[in-house]
Amino acid sequence: MRKTLIATSAITVMLVGLAACSPKLEEGEVLDKQGDTFTIRLSKTINVPIEKAWKALEAPEELEKYSDSYQQTKLVKSEGNTKVIDYRVKALGQIQAFTMELTLQNDAKKVQLKTLQSSLAEIEGSYELKPGPEPNTTTITYRAIQKDKANIPAPVSVQKTAIKGLFDDLVVGMQKVADAQG
């Protein structure tokens, strides 16, 4: 009986500890993994008018100057409303390389994105800007399907924390880009 109680207590402590590793999601946010595929919907509101936030989102090649996670954001090609960017992103303790295609929809204040090259994951999704709940604020919503290309050895809770952390860092970087633009 006592061994069972001790084992149950140890398992409870371990589960509570693992749950603490998962990021705190806001109402309506989704960060769910089924098999090798994440379904993602994350939102954050920043203190920037939508036009300034959009200008920051239109310049993804500037992000490395304002972000800790985005180590390199190199513009490879720009044609019309489509940009191809090489990203070097610090995630899961390593630098990950992605080549992404971003298609900007100015009227909708939306950027469609898809992975062109990565050994880690295939991502297809969007960033959408809407006026925030307060004047001169903008809500950024990221929606994506992210499919693992590699068997990532990190627990799902750690992967979720990394995805949320990268989104949060991107949003902070956007805020800084908008502030720097004056």
Side-chain angles (χ1 to χ4, degrees), residues 96-179:
Q96 308 295 333
F98 292 88
T99 301
M100 303 293 291
E101 179 182 83
L102 291 82
T103 303
L104 290 75
Q105 300 171 357
N106 293 325
D107 293 342
K109 302 291 187 264
K110 187 173 186 176
V111 176
Q112 294 292 132
L113 60 101
K114 69 178 180 181
T115 304
L116 297 179
Q117 187 175 3
S118 168
S119 60
L120 189 64
E122 291 289 330
I123 303 168
E124 191 159 334
S126 67
Y127 290 100
E128 186 172 13
L129 304 183
K130 297 276 186 192
E134 303 293 326
N136 295 317
T137 64
T138 301
T139 299
I140 304 154
T141 301
Y142 173 54
R143 291 180 178 85
I145 300 297
Q146 177 176 313
K147 183 175 173 71
D148 294 344
K149 288 178 70 176
N151 183 14
I152 300 170
V156 172
S157 61
V158 172
Q159 294 175 50
K160 287 180 177 184
T161 300
I163 291 168
K164 178 88 165 94
L166 286 172
F167 173 72
D168 290 345
D169 195 52
L170 174 110
V171 171
V172 167
M174 282 181 62
Q175 173 89 46
K176 290 178 180 177
V177 169
D179 292 345

Side-chain angles (χ1 to χ4, degrees), residues 14-24 31 33 38 92 153-165:
M14 186 174 71
L15 290 175
V16 168
L18 284 176
C21 291
S22 290
K24 181 181 180 331
L31 193 47
K33 187 170 190 183
F38 273 102
L92 299 172
V156 172
S157 61
V158 172
Q159 294 175 50
K160 287 180 177 184
T161 300
I163 291 168
K164 178 88 165 94

Side-chain angles (χ1 to χ4, degrees), residues 20-79:
C21 291
S22 290
K24 181 181 180 331
L25 298 178
E26 301 298 324
E27 185 176 329
E29 291 186 327
V30 174
L31 193 47
D32 183 52
K33 187 170 190 183
Q34 299 296 319
D36 64 354
T37 304
F38 273 102
T39 300
I40 305 164
R41 184 178 61 242
L42 300 170
S43 292
K44 193 159 251 345
T45 299
I46 59 175
N47 293 320
V48 172
I50 195 165
E51 290 303 323
K52 278 189 169 186
W54 178 246
K55 289 221 177 281
L57 199 56
E58 284 183 307
E61 61 273 16
E62 298 291 316
L63 192 56
E64 72 182 49
K65 297 176 187 176
Y66 303 97
S67 168
D68 293 330
S69 298
Y70 290 79
Q71 305 289 307
Q72 177 185 319
T73 53
K74 180 182 173 191
L75 179 63
V76 175
K77 180 170 78 169
S78 180
E79 288 182 7

